[in-house]
Amino acid sequence: MQSSPVSDLIFSIAELISYLSRWYTFLPGDVILTGTPSGVGIGRKPPVFIKKGILWKSRSIALGL
């Protein structure tokens, strides 16, 4: 339902990690899920929202590179 390249994010991956590192200690294997800039559910007709019990998947191309 949502798909965007990392280059569309408002902040770079390095900026996100730097900011979140103020409060979290990241360990190998941790994943930061950001959502997509263009994939806002409220902007769809009809609006789409995550509901309790819904299973969602995330995938990454070239994870760890």
Side-chain angles (χ1 to χ4, degrees):
M1 182 173 285
Q2 295 183 14
S3 180
S4 286
V6 172
S7 61
D8 284 352
L9 291 172
I10 295 169
F11 301 103
S12 71
I13 297 299
E15 290 172 311
L16 289 171
I17 292 170
S18 175
Y19 179 76
L20 293 171
S21 293
R22 297 176 188 179
W23 297 280
Y24 303 102
T25 300
F26 291 106
L27 300 173
D30 284 349
V31 177
I32 300 170
L33 299 175
T34 63
T36 57
S38 61
V40 180
I42 199 166
R44 298 183 179 270
K45 303 249 190 270
V48 178
F49 301 99
I50 295 176
K51 298 175 184 157
K52 183 178 180 179
I54 289 180
L55 177 66
W56 56 276
K57 295 187 283 185
S58 179
R59 72 181 178 102
S60 176
I61 298 169
L63 184 64
L65 295 177

